[in-house]
Structure formats: C-alpha cells, structure tokens
Amino acid sequence: MATGRNVMRAVRVSEFGGPEVLKLLSDVLLPNPKENQVLIKVHACGVNPVETYIRSGAHARKPALPYTPGTDVAGVIEAVGEHVTVFKKGDRVFTNGTISGGYADYTVAAADTVFPLSDKLDFKQGAAIGIPYFTAYRALFQKGHAKPGETVLVHGASGGVGIAACQIARAYGLKVLGTAGTEEGMNIVLRNGAHKMFNHREADYVDKIKEFSDVRGVDVIIEMLANVNLATDLQLLSPGGRVMIVGSRGPIEINPRDTMMKESSIIGVSLFCATKKLMHECETALLAGIEAGWLKPVVGPEYPLEKVAKAHEHLINSSGALGKMVLLI
C-alpha cells in the first residue's frame, strides 16, 4: 500500500479517451471483500486488447466512470470474505475477472473467478492466463466445435490468444497452422504448438497455406483481425469450415456467396456471453493443462504500473505481438 493501511495505488479512468486518460493515483481506498469475495495482493496483471477499446469508449460495454481496468491478475490472497472456504490468506492465485479492477496494488474478485496458481508458473505467467486461454478454449471447442484430427489455422498466432490457441489445439490432437509477421514471432509459435508457420507479411502466404492444406482447406480459423483477413479466410476453409472471430478493428466487405459454396460459418466469440457452466468447463480444461504441463503462457512486453499509458499505446500501435503483455505491480 502506498501511504497508509487503507489506501493503495490504482489506475483510474474518469473519462473515455486515449491512453492519456489512464491516471495512476496513490490514494485510492483499499477495497474490502464482501460475501463470496476475496482480496488479492496483485503481483502482475495482464493487458488485453478489449481494455483499450473499453477505455476509448468504442466498446459496447461501458463501465460506470470512474473505474479501474484489468481482469487478469495473479497474486496472493490477502483476505477472504464470508463463506469463502476454498482460499485462505497467503494462497497464490490467478483470476479471469475482478470486481474492483486489476491495474492496482490490490483487487477484489468473486471467489468463483479465482483459481489456484500452480508452482509451475510465476505471477507474470499467471496474469497471462485469464482472457487469452479462456477465449482460445471457447473459440476452439465451445463455438468452433473443433475435433481431434481437424486442421486449425490461428491467424495472428504470436500474441496471447494466438499462443494459447496453438497450445490448446496441439494438446487436443489438432493439426495446427499459424501466421505471424516476424521471424521471431513464427519461431515462438513453433515452440508452442504449431506444426507449420506462415509469414502473413509475404504477398503469397495465402497460396502457401492453400498448398500446404491441399485442396480440402482448413476446418477452423481462429481470427484475430477479421477486418483485414475475413474475406481471405473464407477462401481457405474446407467444406463446413468455421471462422471464429476473436478480434476485429473495423468493418470489411465480403461476398456472402463464399460461405454458400462450402456451407461455411462465420461465428463471433466473446467471453462476456459465456454462461457460468461454460466458464467452469474452460476452467476445468485449463487447470488440467497446467497440471499436465502443456499450458505455459509466453510473457511478452512487461511494463511497471507507472507506465500503463505506454503499455496501451504499445498494444494499439505495435506491428506484431510477441507473447502476452503484462503490468508488473
């Protein structure tokens, strides 16, 4: 805590706008855990693209102002509210949601969004699990209905969700193809589940994917930038293939006839739409992945809490992701 026992540092957003609206304050009241909640001393917090959209006011979900961003924290239980029996003070944990916001020294979270952090992973890796891995699992299986033996193309595979999708798909018996924009990014993904990588900055990369996947095409595409790639994705699908839209930064024109020829599907993916039952399914699968050893988040850019505005600028403007961005608290 910053200056006393009842206050802490936290990033506050009082108006929607650019990264400059992220203000680090040192006199924010320490939140108290209520019934079925826990208080966590935050060691690291993941930075997700959706947080930049919400901060700018461009997202459909607009929190009441002022608010503290951040859902994916890793840290240590500081205190527990009434009726919480599964955690105690001192437990290492990670979350896929917070109540008071994760860009802070401490955060309150509902106990059912908090999970034990294995000794196999450090706090930075713990902060890289939440939205990326839950989204990747939901996209592949709950919405994409991927099956062992099918081919998945992860379009933009070197970021947090992309690496998560490759690790999960490989563990579940899929043939995994990926794209990235740099040699370094391609090598990271090859070490994390991909059987074959393609450089999406090369003019003929689509032809190379078609050649590699034979005439049939790919069964599932995990798409991070639909406003650029969707029309091309439809050309790469197998009969009955599915494009899972995980990210998009604007509109795109497509020819609906391209979906008719192969009876293909375009499906949006949002964790906000997942029921508690479906989130529990994700949780069960991912905790098993940590235990088995194949779920190993790749941490990318690291920023101290004081540089949160620069972190958001980097996330928006970077030309290619390399692992999962985290704030160090």
Side-chain angles (χ1 to χ4, degrees), residues 180-247:
T182 66
E183 197 72 30
E184 186 180 1
M186 291 169 68
N187 288 332
I188 286 174
V189 183
L190 282 170
R191 294 195 298 270
N192 284 279
H195 292 91
K196 179 72 175 177
M197 286 296 294
F198 303 88
N199 188 328
H200 55 223
R201 297 194 194 286
E202 294 179 357
D204 61 345
Y205 87 95
V206 172
D207 293 329
K208 289 181 178 178
I209 294 173
K210 286 181 179 177
E211 184 181 337
F212 186 82
S213 59
D214 299 323
V215 180
R216 190 170 179 279
V218 298
D219 300 295
V220 179
I221 297 177
I222 307 296
E223 181 52 68
M224 313 299 170
L225 197 60
N227 57 296
V228 172
N229 299 320
L230 183 56
T232 300
D233 289 342
L234 296 176
Q235 307 296 323
L236 292 171
L237 288 175
S238 65
R242 295 83 77 194
V243 181
M244 315 310 302
I245 299 182
V246 170

Short mmCIF file of all heavy atoms in Angstrom, two decimals, residues 180-247:
data_model
loop_
_atom_site.label_atom_id
_atom_site.label_comp_id
_atom_site.label_asym_id
_atom_site.label_seq_id
_atom_site.Cartn_x
_atom_site.Cartn_y
_atom_site.Cartn_z
N ALA A 180 2.25 -15.34 -38.44
CA ALA A 180 2.83 -14.24 -37.66
C ALA A 180 3.55 -13.33 -38.65
O ALA A 180 3.77 -13.71 -39.81
CB ALA A 180 3.77 -14.76 -36.58
N GLY A 181 3.94 -12.15 -38.18
CA GLY A 181 4.52 -11.17 -39.08
C GLY A 181 6.02 -11.03 -38.99
O GLY A 181 6.62 -10.26 -39.75
N THR A 182 6.67 -11.76 -38.08
CA THR A 182 8.12 -11.69 -37.93
C THR A 182 8.69 -13.09 -37.77
O THR A 182 7.99 -14.02 -37.35
CB THR A 182 8.52 -10.84 -36.70
OG1 THR A 182 8.08 -11.52 -35.51
CG2 THR A 182 7.90 -9.45 -36.75
N GLU A 183 9.96 -13.22 -38.05
CA GLU A 183 10.66 -14.49 -37.86
C GLU A 183 10.64 -14.90 -36.39
O GLU A 183 10.42 -16.07 -36.06
CB GLU A 183 12.11 -14.35 -38.35
CG GLU A 183 12.81 -15.68 -38.59
CD GLU A 183 12.29 -16.39 -39.83
OE1 GLU A 183 11.86 -15.72 -40.78
OE2 GLU A 183 12.30 -17.64 -39.83
N GLU A 184 10.86 -13.90 -35.52
CA GLU A 184 10.85 -14.19 -34.09
C GLU A 184 9.49 -14.70 -33.65
O GLU A 184 9.38 -15.67 -32.90
CB GLU A 184 11.22 -12.92 -33.30
CG GLU A 184 11.39 -13.16 -31.81
CD GLU A 184 11.75 -11.88 -31.05
OE1 GLU A 184 11.85 -10.81 -31.68
OE2 GLU A 184 11.91 -11.97 -29.82
N GLY A 185 8.43 -14.04 -34.12
CA GLY A 185 7.08 -14.47 -33.78
C GLY A 185 6.79 -15.87 -34.28
O GLY A 185 6.19 -16.69 -33.56
N MET A 186 7.21 -16.17 -35.50
CA MET A 186 6.99 -17.50 -36.06
C MET A 186 7.70 -18.56 -35.23
O MET A 186 7.13 -19.63 -34.95
CB MET A 186 7.46 -17.54 -37.51
CG MET A 186 6.59 -16.71 -38.44
SD MET A 186 7.32 -16.48 -40.09
CE MET A 186 7.25 -18.15 -40.71
N ASN A 187 8.92 -18.28 -34.81
CA ASN A 187 9.67 -19.26 -34.01
C ASN A 187 9.05 -19.48 -32.65
O ASN A 187 9.02 -20.62 -32.15
CB ASN A 187 11.13 -18.79 -33.87
CG ASN A 187 11.90 -18.92 -35.17
OD1 ASN A 187 11.59 -19.79 -36.00
ND2 ASN A 187 12.90 -18.08 -35.38
N ILE A 188 8.54 -18.41 -32.02
CA ILE A 188 7.88 -18.56 -30.71
C ILE A 188 6.69 -19.49 -30.84
O ILE A 188 6.48 -20.39 -30.01
CB ILE A 188 7.43 -17.18 -30.17
CG1 ILE A 188 8.64 -16.38 -29.68
CG2 ILE A 188 6.41 -17.35 -29.04
CD1 ILE A 188 8.31 -14.96 -29.27
N VAL A 189 5.89 -19.31 -31.90
CA VAL A 189 4.69 -20.13 -32.06
C VAL A 189 5.04 -21.58 -32.40
O VAL A 189 4.39 -22.51 -31.92
CB VAL A 189 3.75 -19.51 -33.12
CG1 VAL A 189 2.47 -20.33 -33.23
CG2 VAL A 189 3.41 -18.07 -32.77
N LEU A 190 6.09 -21.77 -33.18
CA LEU A 190 6.52 -23.15 -33.48
C LEU A 190 6.94 -23.88 -32.21
O LEU A 190 6.78 -25.09 -32.10
CB LEU A 190 7.68 -23.13 -34.48
CG LEU A 190 7.29 -22.89 -35.94
CD1 LEU A 190 8.54 -22.65 -36.78
CD2 LEU A 190 6.49 -24.07 -36.50
N ARG A 191 7.47 -23.15 -31.24
CA ARG A 191 7.86 -23.77 -29.96
C ARG A 191 6.66 -23.98 -29.04
O ARG A 191 6.80 -24.57 -27.98
CB ARG A 191 8.91 -22.89 -29.25
CG ARG A 191 10.25 -22.81 -29.97
CD ARG A 191 11.34 -22.25 -29.05
NE ARG A 191 11.06 -20.90 -28.59
CZ ARG A 191 11.45 -19.79 -29.23
NH1 ARG A 191 12.13 -19.88 -30.37
NH2 ARG A 191 11.18 -18.59 -28.73
N ASN A 192 5.50 -23.47 -29.45
CA ASN A 192 4.33 -23.53 -28.57
C ASN A 192 3.11 -24.13 -29.25
O ASN A 192 1.99 -23.70 -29.02
CB ASN A 192 4.02 -22.12 -28.05
CG ASN A 192 4.96 -21.69 -26.95
OD1 ASN A 192 4.79 -22.06 -25.79
ND2 ASN A 192 5.99 -20.94 -27.31
N GLY A 193 3.36 -25.17 -30.07
CA GLY A 193 2.24 -25.97 -30.54
C GLY A 193 2.00 -26.02 -32.03
O GLY A 193 1.36 -26.95 -32.52
N ALA A 194 2.47 -25.03 -32.78
CA ALA A 194 2.20 -25.03 -34.22
C ALA A 194 3.04 -26.08 -34.94
O ALA A 194 4.23 -26.25 -34.65
CB ALA A 194 2.47 -23.65 -34.81
N HIS A 195 2.40 -26.78 -35.88
CA HIS A 195 3.13 -27.71 -36.74
C HIS A 195 3.81 -26.96 -37.89
O HIS A 195 4.88 -27.37 -38.35
CB HIS A 195 2.18 -28.75 -37.34
CG HIS A 195 1.61 -29.71 -36.34
ND1 HIS A 195 0.42 -29.49 -35.69
CD2 HIS A 195 2.07 -30.90 -35.88
CE1 HIS A 195 0.16 -30.51 -34.89
NE2 HIS A 195 1.15 -31.37 -34.97
N LYS A 196 3.17 -25.87 -38.36
CA LYS A 196 3.68 -25.14 -39.52
C LYS A 196 3.31 -23.67 -39.38
O LYS A 196 2.19 -23.35 -38.99
CB LYS A 196 3.07 -25.72 -40.80
CG LYS A 196 3.50 -25.05 -42.09
CD LYS A 196 4.94 -25.37 -42.46
CE LYS A 196 5.30 -24.78 -43.82
NZ LYS A 196 6.72 -25.01 -44.17
N MET A 197 4.25 -22.77 -39.70
CA MET A 197 4.00 -21.34 -39.62
C MET A 197 4.15 -20.68 -40.99
O MET A 197 4.93 -21.13 -41.83
CB MET A 197 4.98 -20.69 -38.64
CG MET A 197 4.68 -20.95 -37.18
SD MET A 197 3.09 -20.27 -36.63
CE MET A 197 3.42 -18.50 -36.78
N PHE A 198 3.41 -19.58 -41.17
CA PHE A 198 3.46 -18.79 -42.40
C PHE A 198 3.59 -17.32 -42.01
O PHE A 198 3.02 -16.88 -41.01
CB PHE A 198 2.19 -18.99 -43.22
CG PHE A 198 1.92 -20.42 -43.59
CD1 PHE A 198 1.19 -21.25 -42.73
CD2 PHE A 198 2.41 -20.97 -44.77
CE1 PHE A 198 0.96 -22.57 -43.04
CE2 PHE A 198 2.18 -22.29 -45.09
CZ PHE A 198 1.45 -23.10 -44.23
N ASN A 199 4.35 -16.57 -42.82
CA ASN A 199 4.55 -15.14 -42.56
C ASN A 199 3.47 -14.35 -43.30
O ASN A 199 3.46 -14.30 -44.52
CB ASN A 199 5.94 -14.70 -43.03
CG ASN A 199 6.27 -13.28 -42.60
OD1 ASN A 199 5.38 -12.42 -42.50
ND2 ASN A 199 7.54 -13.02 -42.35
N HIS A 200 2.55 -13.73 -42.54
CA HIS A 200 1.44 -13.05 -43.21
C HIS A 200 1.84 -11.70 -43.82
O HIS A 200 0.99 -11.00 -44.37
CB HIS A 200 0.22 -12.90 -42.28
CG HIS A 200 0.49 -12.22 -40.97
ND1 HIS A 200 -0.04 -12.68 -39.79
CD2 HIS A 200 1.20 -11.12 -40.64
CE1 HIS A 200 0.34 -11.89 -38.80
NE2 HIS A 200 1.08 -10.95 -39.30
N ARG A 201 3.11 -11.36 -43.75
CA ARG A 201 3.59 -10.18 -44.47
C ARG A 201 4.07 -10.53 -45.89
O ARG A 201 4.31 -9.63 -46.70
CB ARG A 201 4.73 -9.51 -43.70
CG ARG A 201 4.28 -8.99 -42.34
CD ARG A 201 5.29 -8.04 -41.73
NE ARG A 201 5.02 -7.80 -40.32
CZ ARG A 201 4.03 -7.06 -39.86
NH1 ARG A 201 3.21 -6.46 -40.70
NH2 ARG A 201 3.86 -6.91 -38.55
N GLU A 202 4.20 -11.82 -46.17
CA GLU A 202 4.59 -12.23 -47.52
C GLU A 202 3.37 -12.19 -48.45
O GLU A 202 2.28 -12.63 -48.08
CB GLU A 202 5.19 -13.64 -47.49
CG GLU A 202 6.50 -13.72 -46.74
CD GLU A 202 7.06 -15.14 -46.71
OE1 GLU A 202 6.38 -16.05 -47.23
OE2 GLU A 202 8.16 -15.32 -46.15
N ALA A 203 3.57 -11.69 -49.64
CA ALA A 203 2.45 -11.49 -50.58
C ALA A 203 1.75 -12.80 -50.93
O ALA A 203 0.54 -12.82 -51.16
CB ALA A 203 2.95 -10.79 -51.84
N ASP A 204 2.50 -13.90 -50.95
CA ASP A 204 1.91 -15.16 -51.40
C ASP A 204 1.61 -16.13 -50.25
O ASP A 204 1.45 -17.33 -50.47
CB ASP A 204 2.84 -15.84 -52.40
CG ASP A 204 4.20 -16.19 -51.80
OD1 ASP A 204 4.53 -15.65 -50.72
OD2 ASP A 204 4.93 -16.99 -52.42
N TYR A 205 1.48 -15.60 -49.03
CA TYR A 205 1.31 -16.52 -47.89
C TYR A 205 0.00 -17.30 -47.97
O TYR A 205 -0.06 -18.45 -47.54
CB TYR A 205 1.44 -15.78 -46.56
CG TYR A 205 0.18 -15.15 -46.02
CD1 TYR A 205 -0.61 -15.83 -45.08
CD2 TYR A 205 -0.25 -13.89 -46.42
CE1 TYR A 205 -1.78 -15.28 -44.57
CE2 TYR A 205 -1.40 -13.33 -45.93
CZ TYR A 205 -2.17 -14.02 -45.00
OH TYR A 205 -3.32 -13.47 -44.51
N VAL A 206 -1.03 -16.71 -48.53
CA VAL A 206 -2.32 -17.40 -48.65
C VAL A 206 -2.18 -18.61 -49.60
O VAL A 206 -2.69 -19.70 -49.32
CB VAL A 206 -3.42 -16.45 -49.15
CG1 VAL A 206 -4.70 -17.22 -49.46
CG2 VAL A 206 -3.69 -15.37 -48.09
N ASP A 207 -1.46 -18.41 -50.69
CA ASP A 207 -1.23 -19.52 -51.63
C ASP A 207 -0.44 -20.63 -50.96
O ASP A 207 -0.70 -21.83 -51.20
CB ASP A 207 -0.47 -19.02 -52.87
CG ASP A 207 -1.31 -18.07 -53.71
OD1 ASP A 207 -2.56 -18.24 -53.72
OD2 ASP A 207 -0.73 -17.17 -54.33
N LYS A 208 0.51 -20.26 -50.11
CA LYS A 208 1.30 -21.27 -49.41
C LYS A 208 0.44 -22.07 -48.44
O LYS A 208 0.61 -23.29 -48.30
CB LYS A 208 2.46 -20.60 -48.65
CG LYS A 208 3.56 -20.06 -49.57
CD LYS A 208 4.68 -19.43 -48.76
CE LYS A 208 5.80 -18.93 -49.67
NZ LYS A 208 6.88 -18.28 -48.90
N ILE A 209 -0.51 -21.40 -47.76
CA ILE A 209 -1.42 -22.12 -46.85
C ILE A 209 -2.29 -23.07 -47.64
O ILE A 209 -2.50 -24.24 -47.25
CB ILE A 209 -2.28 -21.14 -46.04
CG1 ILE A 209 -1.40 -20.31 -45.09
CG2 ILE A 209 -3.35 -21.89 -45.24
CD1 ILE A 209 -2.15 -19.20 -44.36
N LYS A 210 -2.82 -22.60 -48.79
CA LYS A 210 -3.66 -23.45 -49.64
C LYS A 210 -2.89 -24.68 -50.10
O LYS A 210 -3.40 -25.80 -50.07
CB LYS A 210 -4.15 -22.67 -50.86
CG LYS A 210 -5.24 -21.66 -50.56
CD LYS A 210 -5.67 -20.95 -51.84
CE LYS A 210 -6.79 -19.95 -51.58
NZ LYS A 210 -7.15 -19.21 -52.80
N GLU A 211 -1.66 -24.47 -50.50
CA GLU A 211 -0.82 -25.57 -50.98
C GLU A 211 -0.56 -26.58 -49.86
O GLU A 211 -0.65 -27.79 -50.05
CB GLU A 211 0.51 -25.01 -51.51
CG GLU A 211 1.42 -26.05 -52.12
CD GLU A 211 2.73 -25.44 -52.60
OE1 GLU A 211 2.77 -24.21 -52.85
OE2 GLU A 211 3.72 -26.18 -52.70
N PHE A 212 -0.28 -26.05 -48.67
CA PHE A 212 0.04 -26.94 -47.54
C PHE A 212 -1.19 -27.72 -47.09
O PHE A 212 -1.08 -28.88 -46.68
CB PHE A 212 0.61 -26.12 -46.38
CG PHE A 212 1.11 -26.95 -45.23
CD1 PHE A 212 2.39 -27.52 -45.28
CD2 PHE A 212 0.32 -27.20 -44.12
CE1 PHE A 212 2.85 -28.30 -44.23
CE2 PHE A 212 0.77 -27.98 -43.07
CZ PHE A 212 2.05 -28.53 -43.13
N SER A 213 -2.36 -27.09 -47.13
CA SER A 213 -3.57 -27.75 -46.64
C SER A 213 -4.26 -28.57 -47.74
O SER A 213 -5.38 -29.04 -47.55
CB SER A 213 -4.55 -26.72 -46.08
OG SER A 213 -4.91 -25.77 -47.06
N ASP A 214 -3.58 -28.73 -48.87
CA ASP A 214 -4.11 -29.48 -50.02
C ASP A 214 -5.37 -28.79 -50.55
O ASP A 214 -5.67 -27.66 -50.24
CB ASP A 214 -4.39 -30.94 -49.63
CG ASP A 214 -3.13 -31.66 -49.18
OD1 ASP A 214 -2.07 -31.38 -49.77
OD2 ASP A 214 -3.20 -32.46 -48.23
N VAL A 215 -6.14 -29.50 -51.31
CA VAL A 215 -7.32 -28.92 -51.92
C VAL A 215 -8.41 -28.68 -50.88
O VAL A 215 -9.23 -27.79 -51.00
CB VAL A 215 -7.85 -29.86 -53.04
CG1 VAL A 215 -9.08 -29.27 -53.70
CG2 VAL A 215 -6.76 -30.13 -54.06
N ARG A 216 -8.39 -29.49 -49.84
CA ARG A 216 -9.50 -29.51 -48.89
C ARG A 216 -9.64 -28.20 -48.10
O ARG A 216 -10.74 -27.75 -47.83
CB ARG A 216 -9.32 -30.69 -47.92
CG ARG A 216 -10.55 -30.92 -47.07
CD ARG A 216 -10.47 -32.22 -46.28
NE ARG A 216 -11.68 -32.35 -45.49
CZ ARG A 216 -11.87 -31.75 -44.32
NH1 ARG A 216 -10.91 -30.99 -43.82
NH2 ARG A 216 -13.01 -31.90 -43.66
N GLY A 217 -8.55 -27.59 -47.69
CA GLY A 217 -8.61 -26.39 -46.87
C GLY A 217 -8.53 -26.69 -45.40
O GLY A 217 -8.30 -27.82 -44.98
N VAL A 218 -8.74 -25.66 -44.57
CA VAL A 218 -8.65 -25.80 -43.12
C VAL A 218 -10.05 -25.82 -42.51
O VAL A 218 -10.98 -25.21 -43.02
CB VAL A 218 -7.79 -24.69 -42.48
CG1 VAL A 218 -6.37 -24.75 -42.99
CG2 VAL A 218 -8.38 -23.31 -42.72
N ASP A 219 -10.19 -26.55 -41.41
CA ASP A 219 -11.51 -26.76 -40.80
C ASP A 219 -11.94 -25.59 -39.92
O ASP A 219 -13.11 -25.22 -39.90
CB ASP A 219 -11.49 -28.05 -39.98
CG ASP A 219 -11.16 -29.26 -40.85
OD1 ASP A 219 -11.96 -29.58 -41.73
OD2 ASP A 219 -10.08 -29.86 -40.64
N VAL A 220 -10.99 -25.04 -39.17
CA VAL A 220 -11.31 -23.95 -38.24
C VAL A 220 -10.24 -22.87 -38.37
O VAL A 220 -9.04 -23.18 -38.43
CB VAL A 220 -11.35 -24.46 -36.77
CG1 VAL A 220 -11.66 -23.30 -35.81
CG2 VAL A 220 -12.38 -25.56 -36.60
N ILE A 221 -10.67 -21.62 -38.41
CA ILE A 221 -9.74 -20.49 -38.39
C ILE A 221 -10.03 -19.66 -37.14
O ILE A 221 -11.18 -19.28 -36.90
CB ILE A 221 -9.85 -19.62 -39.65
CG1 ILE A 221 -9.47 -20.43 -40.89
CG2 ILE A 221 -8.96 -18.37 -39.53
CD1 ILE A 221 -9.62 -19.68 -42.20
N ILE A 222 -9.00 -19.41 -36.34
CA ILE A 222 -9.11 -18.51 -35.19
C ILE A 222 -8.58 -17.15 -35.67
O ILE A 222 -7.39 -17.01 -35.95
CB ILE A 222 -8.30 -19.01 -33.99
CG1 ILE A 222 -8.66 -20.46 -33.64
CG2 ILE A 222 -8.50 -18.09 -32.79
CD1 ILE A 222 -10.08 -20.68 -33.20
N GLU A 223 -9.47 -16.18 -35.79
CA GLU A 223 -9.16 -14.92 -36.48
C GLU A 223 -9.06 -13.76 -35.49
O GLU A 223 -10.02 -13.42 -34.80
CB GLU A 223 -10.23 -14.62 -37.53
CG GLU A 223 -10.00 -13.36 -38.32
CD GLU A 223 -8.61 -13.31 -38.94
OE1 GLU A 223 -8.34 -14.13 -39.85
OE2 GLU A 223 -7.79 -12.49 -38.49
N MET A 224 -7.87 -13.12 -35.44
CA MET A 224 -7.62 -12.02 -34.52
C MET A 224 -7.86 -10.65 -35.15
O MET A 224 -7.98 -9.65 -34.45
CB MET A 224 -6.16 -12.05 -34.01
CG MET A 224 -5.67 -13.39 -33.54
SD MET A 224 -6.61 -14.03 -32.16
CE MET A 224 -5.95 -15.71 -32.11
N LEU A 225 -7.89 -10.56 -36.47
CA LEU A 225 -8.02 -9.27 -37.17
C LEU A 225 -8.96 -9.44 -38.36
O LEU A 225 -8.56 -9.37 -39.52
CB LEU A 225 -6.63 -8.78 -37.62
CG LEU A 225 -6.49 -7.30 -37.98
CD1 LEU A 225 -6.85 -6.40 -36.80
CD2 LEU A 225 -5.09 -7.00 -38.48
N ALA A 226 -10.23 -9.66 -38.04
CA ALA A 226 -11.21 -10.01 -39.06
C ALA A 226 -11.40 -8.91 -40.10
O ALA A 226 -11.69 -9.19 -41.27
CB ALA A 226 -12.55 -10.34 -38.41
N ASN A 227 -11.23 -7.65 -39.72
CA ASN A 227 -11.44 -6.56 -40.67
C ASN A 227 -10.39 -6.56 -41.78
O ASN A 227 -10.60 -5.93 -42.83
CB ASN A 227 -11.43 -5.20 -39.95
CG ASN A 227 -10.16 -4.94 -39.18
OD1 ASN A 227 -9.85 -5.66 -38.23
ND2 ASN A 227 -9.40 -3.93 -39.57
N VAL A 228 -9.31 -7.27 -41.61
CA VAL A 228 -8.28 -7.39 -42.65
C VAL A 228 -8.38 -8.75 -43.35
O VAL A 228 -8.24 -8.84 -44.58
CB VAL A 228 -6.86 -7.23 -42.05
CG1 VAL A 228 -5.79 -7.54 -43.08
CG2 VAL A 228 -6.70 -5.82 -41.50
N ASN A 229 -8.67 -9.80 -42.59
CA ASN A 229 -8.47 -11.16 -43.10
C ASN A 229 -9.72 -11.95 -43.46
O ASN A 229 -9.61 -13.02 -44.08
CB ASN A 229 -7.69 -11.98 -42.06
CG ASN A 229 -6.32 -11.40 -41.77
OD1 ASN A 229 -5.62 -10.94 -42.66
ND2 ASN A 229 -5.93 -11.43 -40.50
N LEU A 230 -10.91 -11.50 -43.09
CA LEU A 230 -12.08 -12.36 -43.19
C LEU A 230 -12.37 -12.83 -44.61
O LEU A 230 -12.68 -14.01 -44.83
CB LEU A 230 -13.32 -11.66 -42.60
CG LEU A 230 -14.60 -12.48 -42.58
CD1 LEU A 230 -14.42 -13.81 -41.83
CD2 LEU A 230 -15.74 -11.68 -41.96
N ALA A 231 -12.29 -11.94 -45.58
CA ALA A 231 -12.58 -12.34 -46.96
C ALA A 231 -11.62 -13.43 -47.42
O ALA A 231 -12.03 -14.40 -48.09
CB ALA A 231 -12.50 -11.13 -47.89
N THR A 232 -10.36 -13.30 -47.05
CA THR A 232 -9.35 -14.31 -47.38
C THR A 232 -9.62 -15.62 -46.64
O THR A 232 -9.49 -16.70 -47.20
CB THR A 232 -7.94 -13.80 -47.02
OG1 THR A 232 -7.69 -12.61 -47.76
CG2 THR A 232 -6.89 -14.84 -47.34
N ASP A 233 -10.00 -15.49 -45.37
CA ASP A 233 -10.29 -16.69 -44.57
C ASP A 233 -11.32 -17.58 -45.25
O ASP A 233 -11.19 -18.81 -45.25
CB ASP A 233 -10.82 -16.29 -43.18
CG ASP A 233 -9.75 -15.68 -42.28
OD1 ASP A 233 -8.55 -15.85 -42.58
OD2 ASP A 233 -10.13 -15.03 -41.29
N LEU A 234 -12.34 -16.97 -45.83
CA LEU A 234 -13.41 -17.75 -46.47
C LEU A 234 -12.89 -18.58 -47.64
O LEU A 234 -13.44 -19.63 -47.96
CB LEU A 234 -14.54 -16.83 -46.93
CG LEU A 234 -15.28 -16.09 -45.79
CD1 LEU A 234 -16.32 -15.13 -46.37
CD2 LEU A 234 -15.94 -17.08 -44.84
N GLN A 235 -11.81 -18.11 -48.26
CA GLN A 235 -11.20 -18.85 -49.37
C GLN A 235 -10.38 -20.05 -48.88
O GLN A 235 -10.11 -20.97 -49.65
CB GLN A 235 -10.28 -17.93 -50.18
CG GLN A 235 -10.91 -16.64 -50.66
CD GLN A 235 -12.05 -16.88 -51.63
OE1 GLN A 235 -11.99 -17.79 -52.45
NE2 GLN A 235 -13.09 -16.07 -51.54
N LEU A 236 -9.99 -20.02 -47.61
CA LEU A 236 -9.10 -21.05 -47.08
C LEU A 236 -9.85 -22.21 -46.41
O LEU A 236 -9.25 -23.23 -46.10
CB LEU A 236 -8.15 -20.43 -46.04
CG LEU A 236 -7.10 -19.45 -46.58
CD1 LEU A 236 -6.39 -18.75 -45.43
CD2 LEU A 236 -6.10 -20.18 -47.45
N LEU A 237 -11.16 -22.04 -46.20
CA LEU A 237 -11.90 -23.03 -45.43
C LEU A 237 -12.18 -24.31 -46.21
O LEU A 237 -12.35 -24.30 -47.44
CB LEU A 237 -13.24 -22.44 -44.97
CG LEU A 237 -13.18 -21.39 -43.86
CD1 LEU A 237 -14.58 -20.84 -43.62
CD2 LEU A 237 -12.61 -21.97 -42.57
N SER A 238 -12.29 -25.39 -45.47
CA SER A 238 -12.75 -26.67 -46.01
C SER A 238 -14.28 -26.64 -46.09
O SER A 238 -14.92 -25.75 -45.51
CB SER A 238 -12.32 -27.81 -45.08
OG SER A 238 -12.96 -27.67 -43.83
N PRO A 239 -14.92 -27.59 -46.76
CA PRO A 239 -16.38 -27.69 -46.71
C PRO A 239 -16.86 -27.82 -45.26
O PRO A 239 -16.34 -28.63 -44.50
CB PRO A 239 -16.67 -28.97 -47.51
CG PRO A 239 -15.52 -29.08 -48.46
CD PRO A 239 -14.32 -28.59 -47.69
N GLY A 240 -17.79 -26.97 -44.87
CA GLY A 240 -18.27 -26.97 -43.50
C GLY A 240 -17.34 -26.27 -42.53
O GLY A 240 -17.54 -26.36 -41.31
N GLY A 241 -16.34 -25.57 -43.05
CA GLY A 241 -15.35 -24.90 -42.19
C GLY A 241 -15.93 -23.72 -41.44
O GLY A 241 -16.97 -23.15 -41.80
N ARG A 242 -15.23 -23.33 -40.35
CA ARG A 242 -15.72 -22.28 -39.46
C ARG A 242 -14.65 -21.23 -39.21
O ARG A 242 -13.52 -21.58 -38.89
CB ARG A 242 -16.12 -22.87 -38.10
CG ARG A 242 -17.28 -23.84 -38.11
CD ARG A 242 -16.89 -25.27 -38.47
NE ARG A 242 -16.25 -26.01 -37.39
CZ ARG A 242 -15.58 -27.15 -37.56
NH1 ARG A 242 -15.42 -27.68 -38.79
NH2 ARG A 242 -15.03 -27.77 -36.53
N VAL A 243 -15.02 -19.96 -39.36
CA VAL A 243 -14.13 -18.86 -38.96
C VAL A 243 -14.62 -18.33 -37.62
O VAL A 243 -15.78 -17.92 -37.49
CB VAL A 243 -14.13 -17.70 -39.98
CG1 VAL A 243 -13.16 -16.60 -39.51
CG2 VAL A 243 -13.75 -18.17 -41.36
N MET A 244 -13.73 -18.35 -36.63
CA MET A 244 -14.07 -17.86 -35.29
C MET A 244 -13.47 -16.46 -35.13
O MET A 244 -12.25 -16.30 -35.14
CB MET A 244 -13.50 -18.79 -34.22
CG MET A 244 -13.73 -20.28 -34.49
SD MET A 244 -15.43 -20.68 -34.89
CE MET A 244 -16.24 -20.06 -33.43
N ILE A 245 -14.34 -15.45 -35.02
CA ILE A 245 -13.87 -14.07 -34.93
C ILE A 245 -13.61 -13.71 -33.47
O ILE A 245 -14.53 -13.53 -32.68
CB ILE A 245 -14.86 -13.10 -35.58
CG1 ILE A 245 -15.03 -13.46 -37.05
CG2 ILE A 245 -14.38 -11.66 -35.41
CD1 ILE A 245 -15.94 -12.55 -37.82
N VAL A 246 -12.32 -13.63 -33.14
CA VAL A 246 -11.89 -13.28 -31.79
C VAL A 246 -11.57 -11.79 -31.70
O VAL A 246 -11.72 -11.17 -30.66
CB VAL A 246 -10.66 -14.14 -31.40
CG1 VAL A 246 -10.04 -13.65 -30.10
CG2 VAL A 246 -11.06 -15.61 -31.28
N GLY A 247 -11.13 -11.20 -32.83
CA GLY A 247 -10.77 -9.79 -32.82
C GLY A 247 -11.06 -9.13 -34.16
O GLY A 247 -10.97 -9.76 -35.21
#
